[in-house]
């Protein structure tokens, strides 16, 4: 048995060390086959504490783990976390993720390629205890392991830190703690034992539990279904002891119910507000550190599950765009004085990214001159719209023009062509603007600005005394009288 255990130890180490990861293949039934004749007891008493910190700039989350061993036998020599994904989930980017052990990178990437694209959530490793190695073991487990007697998790001891990074969302994942069979005394009477059978027995002796791990978000996001998913995380977290009772927890539950109801009724603005209140309530009720007093309503695990997933939901709730019946105002003039007497059609359009939200057109605008002091304030009323945009969408205001036409399409009086129409804006005396409410707020004025070379929108009124100007290209009624852009201004929805 001693020789078999020695061989099994080498194979077990192969599960942990990335140098062997790329060549090991296992039968799924064989991994969990029990071999009670070896007398390997079931590992027990292991515990994993976890917390997550999100870098909002990079979008990368750091998962920090600590192993605690409260049992009385068998060292912990392997620690793995399921990082699988499926075709109903997004393919998460692995950009910016790295391994603390550079030699692990190539072997891990080779192993990931064998798993298959879409079968895992890309992860990096930024920290591990001394004497431990890391990599990916089939079918899709992030694993740390050690062969050093002094590095394993001793009964009554703690091993930390294990740190992984990912762009996946925190979810509840299967974790496995593997035992060190060399804590056992071999039977010298057993000369020859199949090492594969010993490996099966070791796997059967492993302890399986639950911890935090990266999960890929759904490919087709249903807002109400995702709110239900957060509710399921909250329920399972309570079963695991991460959510406890108390007034703060009742408030969190109430807010979660409100978010779901508001989403179901299409009240997106209020849902975004309630989602923010939910995140604040969770953060107020939960621990940040791994050591969480029993009198705290929520642990660091609950904090990550509920706050980070709600933040993801919040960022995907559409933002209502409320337009007033009051028209937009643009200040217009001519590019060339020879075009005096030309009449123009002027169109103001509002887009969410490339999709039209609403527009308004004024026909046969007269009285436009070359003299900047006589710029004309033209009012353009938008049509009604029920369109919405989502957070991070781009809201675009576009001004266009053509030679003036009557309602029946015939040309208005005046010239057939023009060198160009000029817009004045971004000055105290020429505050070209429109009114809209974004994100459920009351409509407010959005002003056209030029910041460096960027044409932007915001709610800050112009302060400059000298107006900026933007010209269209030439207009020609006989050439089809197409709409010609004067300019485009935009903002990213918060």
């Amino acid at each position: 048995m001693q020789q078999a255990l020695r061989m099994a130890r080498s194979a077990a180490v192969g599960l942990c060390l990335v140098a062997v990861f790329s060549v090991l293949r296992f039968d799924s039934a064989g991994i969990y086959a029990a071999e009670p004749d070896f007398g390997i007891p079931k590992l027990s008493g292991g515990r994993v504490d976890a917390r997550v910190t999100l870098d909002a700039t990079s979008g990368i989350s750091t998962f920090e783990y600590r192993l605690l061993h409260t049992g009385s036998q068998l060292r912990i020599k392997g620690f793995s976390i399921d990082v699988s994904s499926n075709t109903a989930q997004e393919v998460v980017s692995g950009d910016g993720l790295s391994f603390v052990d550079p030699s692990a990178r190539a072997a891990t990437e080779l192993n990931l390629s064998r798993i298959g694209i879409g079968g895992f959530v890309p992860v990096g490793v930024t920290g591990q205890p001394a004497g431990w190695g890391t990599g990916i073991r089939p079918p899709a487990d992030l694993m740390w392991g050690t062969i050093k007697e002094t590095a394993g998790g001793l009964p009554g001891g703690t091993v930390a830190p294990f740190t992984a990074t990912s762009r996946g969302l925190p979810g509840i994942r299967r974790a496995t703690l593997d035992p060190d069979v060399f804590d056992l005394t071999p039977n010298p009477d057993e000369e020859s034992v199949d090492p594969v059978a010993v490996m099966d027995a070791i796997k059967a002796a492993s302890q399986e539990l639950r911890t935090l791990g990266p999960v890929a978000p759904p490919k087709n996001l249903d807002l109400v279904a995702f709110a239900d998913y957060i509710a399921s995380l909250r329920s399972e977290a309570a079963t695991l002891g991460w959510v406890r009772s108390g007034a703060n927890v009742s408030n969190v539950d109430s807010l979660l119910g409100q978010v779901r109801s508001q989403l179901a009724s299409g009240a997106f603005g209020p849902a975004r507000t309630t989602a923010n209140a939910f995140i604040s309530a969770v953060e107020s009720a939960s621990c940040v550190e791994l050591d969480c007093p029993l009198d705290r309503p929520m642990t660091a695990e609950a904090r990550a599950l509920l706050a980070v997933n709600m933040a993801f939901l919040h960022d995907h709730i559409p933002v209502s765009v409320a337009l007033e019946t009051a028209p937009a105002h643009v200040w217009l003039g001519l590019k060339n004085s020879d075009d005096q007497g030309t009449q123009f059609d002027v169109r103001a359009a509002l887009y969410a990214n490339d999709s039209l939200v609403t527009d308004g057109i004024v026909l046969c605008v007269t009285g436009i001159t070359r003299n900047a002091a006589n710029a004309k304030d033209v009012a353009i009323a938008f049509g009604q719209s029920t369109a919405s945009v989502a957070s991070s969408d781009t809201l675009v205001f576009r001004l266009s023009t053509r030679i003036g036409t009557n309602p029946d399409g015939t040309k208005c009086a005046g010239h057939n062509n023009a060198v160009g129409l000029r817009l004045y804006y971004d000055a105290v005396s020429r505050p070209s603007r429109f009114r809209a409410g974004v994100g459920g707020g009351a409509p407010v004025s959005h002003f056209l600005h030029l910041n460096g070379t960027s044409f932007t929108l915001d709610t800050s009124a112009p302060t400059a005394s000298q107006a900026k100007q933007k010209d269209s290209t030439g207009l020609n009624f006989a050439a089809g009288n197409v709409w010609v852009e004067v300019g485009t201004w935009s903002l990213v929805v918060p």
Side-chain angles (χ1 to χ4, degrees):
M1 174 116 178
Q2 193 167 19
Q3 176 65 23
L5 286 172
R6 186 176 296 110
M7 295 173 68
R9 182 185 191 185
S10 297
V13 171
L15 285 173
C16 307
L17 300 181
V18 292
V20 188
F21 280 162
S22 60
V23 296
L24 287 178
R25 312 300 284 179
F26 298 98
D27 177 78
S28 60
I31 290 177
Y32 300 104
E35 295 286 347
D37 292 343
F38 294 116
I40 302 176
K42 184 79 172 178
L43 179 65
S44 62
R47 194 183 93 197
V48 179
D49 291 335
R51 67 172 182 167
V52 177
T53 54
L54 172 64
D55 185 325
T57 301
S58 67
I60 296 175
S61 292
T62 297
F63 293 75
E64 180 183 343
Y65 303 97
R66 177 179 65 185
L67 302 186
L68 298 94
H69 194 353
T70 61
S72 59
Q73 58 183 346
L74 296 180
R75 300 169 190 252
I76 297 173
K77 286 301 183 77
F79 167 42
S80 61
I81 301 169
D82 172 28
V83 292
S84 61
S85 66
N86 57 56
T87 56
Q89 296 172 317
E90 289 185 358
V91 176
V92 176
S93 170
D95 293 345
L97 306 181
S98 61
F99 276 78
V100 67
D101 178 4
S103 65
R105 187 77 184 187
T108 297
E109 289 177 349
L110 175 61
N111 214 38
L112 293 180
S113 69
R114 290 179 174 179
I115 294 171
I117 295 175
F120 63 94
V121 181
V123 290
V125 174
T126 56
Q128 58 198 25
W132 288 67
T134 189
I136 303 292
R137 108 176 141 183
D141 282 4
L142 170 64
M143 184 173 186
W144 288 270
T146 182
I147 60 174
K148 294 188 176 181
E149 300 294 334
T150 58
L154 292 169
T158 300
V159 187
F162 301 89
T163 54
T165 57
S166 177
R167 285 190 167 82
L169 296 172
I172 299 176
R173 287 291 205 172
R174 169 188 53 79
T176 304
L177 304 180
D178 294 325
D180 179 11
V181 301
F182 290 91
D183 283 346
L184 304 176
T185 302
N187 183 345
D189 295 333
E190 298 186 43
E191 296 291 333
S192 177
V193 179
D194 181 1
V196 175
V198 177
M199 279 294 299
D200 290 342
I202 294 171
K203 293 304 299 180
S206 297
Q207 179 184 355
E208 189 172 294
L209 38 73
R210 294 290 181 267
T211 189
L212 297 183
V215 174
K219 186 177 296 182
N220 299 310
L221 181 63
D222 181 305
L223 298 177
V224 176
F226 199 81
D228 289 337
Y229 168 67
I230 295 175
S232 73
L233 292 178
R234 180 258 179 269
S235 178
E236 189 172 354
T239 301
L240 294 168
W242 299 342
V243 175
R244 300 146 185 172
S245 60
N248 289 343
V249 173
S250 297
N251 182 41
V252 166
D253 291 342
S254 175
L255 290 169
L256 179 54
Q258 289 179 45
V259 170
R260 190 205 186 280
S261 297
Q262 290 162 345
L263 291 174
S265 65
F268 296 139
R272 286 170 57 87
T273 300
T274 307
N276 279 329
F278 174 89
I279 294 168
S280 296
V282 168
E283 292 176 344
S284 175
S286 59
C287 290
V288 176
E289 302 301 328
L290 292 173
D291 292 311
C292 190
L294 293 176
D295 60 351
R296 292 290 291 165
M298 297 183 184
T299 66
E301 287 92 346
R303 181 188 185 95
L305 282 174
L306 301 182
V308 176
N309 280 283
M310 183 59 79
F312 173 82
L313 177 60
H314 170 275
D315 290 345
H316 288 80
I317 298 174
V319 181
S320 299
V321 179
L323 299 174
E324 282 194 343
T325 55
H329 286 265
V330 292
W331 293 81
L332 302 177
L334 294 175
K335 183 178 179 179
N336 191 302
S337 58
D338 290 342
D339 294 328
Q340 189 93 6
T342 305
Q343 298 189 43
F344 297 87
D345 293 344
V346 183
R347 178 178 185 248
L350 199 62
Y351 295 83
N353 300 319
D354 296 325
S355 299
L356 180 65
V357 173
T358 186
D359 67 352
I361 298 174
V362 178
L363 302 178
C364 296
V365 178
T366 62
I368 299 178
T369 69
R370 175 64 178 80
N371 189 339
N374 295 327
K376 183 169 185 175
D377 180 8
V378 176
I380 308 172
F382 286 115
Q384 294 298 313
S385 174
T386 59
S388 296
V389 297
S391 177
S392 78
D393 280 352
T394 300
L395 187 64
V396 174
F397 175 86
R398 181 170 297 147
L399 191 70
S400 304
T401 187
R402 66 185 180 188
I403 297 298
T405 60
N406 297 302
D408 62 2
T410 59
K411 191 181 74 67
C412 304
H415 299 169
N416 291 337
N417 51 58
V419 176
L421 184 69
R422 173 165 292 173
L423 170 73
Y424 296 96
Y425 68 103
D426 204 6
V428 174
S429 61
R430 302 289 184 263
S432 293
R433 64 203 183 275
F434 67 94
R435 287 179 65 83
V438 178
V444 295
S445 291
H446 287 71
F447 297 91
L448 281 57
H449 293 287
L450 177 61
N451 295 311
T453 59
S454 299
F455 297 92
T456 61
L457 298 169
D458 64 43
T459 57
S460 301
T463 58
S465 58
Q466 184 68 34
K468 299 178 178 68
Q469 58 191 49
K470 189 79 170 60
D471 297 335
S472 76
T473 56
L475 315 173
N476 192 322
F477 184 84
N481 201 30
V482 296
W483 287 103
V484 175
E485 181 180 315
V486 178
T488 295
W489 289 258
S490 64
L491 66 84
V492 176
V493 177

